[in-house]
């Protein structure tokens, strides 16, 4: 995936999820400066980090169907009762994307609205 594609993904996460570079960096276990270099095309993420970035974008895109950007960000960064008090962003960071997606899908289905 080229630099422009990564920049578009980062922009989508920012626009749909009101996520700052620091938020993205924390979730992906990288420095904010690294995210900045990706967005300018100076470097590309390693394969595993790129996969995690794409997972984050997918989740944020789905949350955009339920929440306004700032609300999506708050949901991602806050403890969720439906996740037994765990924080979605931390679960994504730990590679437990499927747990977060299951809850987002239930949100989309109207189960927790």
């Amino acid at each position: 995936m080229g630099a422009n594609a990564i920049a578009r993904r980062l922009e989508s996460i920012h626009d749909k999820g009101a996520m700052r570079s620091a938020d993205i960096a924390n979730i992906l276990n990288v420095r904010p400066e690294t995210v900045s270099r990706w967005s300018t095309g100076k470097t590309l993420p390693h394969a595993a980090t790129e996969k995690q970035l794409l997972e984050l974008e997918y989740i944020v895109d789905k949350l955009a169907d339920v929440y306004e950007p700032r609300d999506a960000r708050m949901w991602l960064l806050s403890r969720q009762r439906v996740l037994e008090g765990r924080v979605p962003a931390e679960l994504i960071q730990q590679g437990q994307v499927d747990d977060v997606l299951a809850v987002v899908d239930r949100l989309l289905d109207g189960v927790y609205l």
Side-chain angles (χ1 to χ4, degrees), residues 3 6 8-10 35 37 39 41 46 49 52-54 56 58-59 64 66 69 71 75 82 92 95:
I6 295 296
R8 284 193 302 273
R9 299 299 200 277
L10 291 167
V35 175
R37 285 193 297 272
S39 65
H46 295 290
T49 307
Q52 203 173 23
L53 173 67
L54 295 174
L56 176 61
Y58 183 70
I59 290 169
V66 181
D71 294 327
W75 188 89
V82 297
I92 296 166

Side-chain angles (χ1 to χ4, degrees), residues 50-65:
E50 182 177 303
K51 181 180 184 308
Q52 203 173 23
L53 173 67
L54 295 174
E55 296 282 18
L56 176 61
E57 183 204 15
Y58 183 70
I59 290 169
V60 168
D61 187 57
K62 291 184 96 162
L63 284 172
D65 291 340

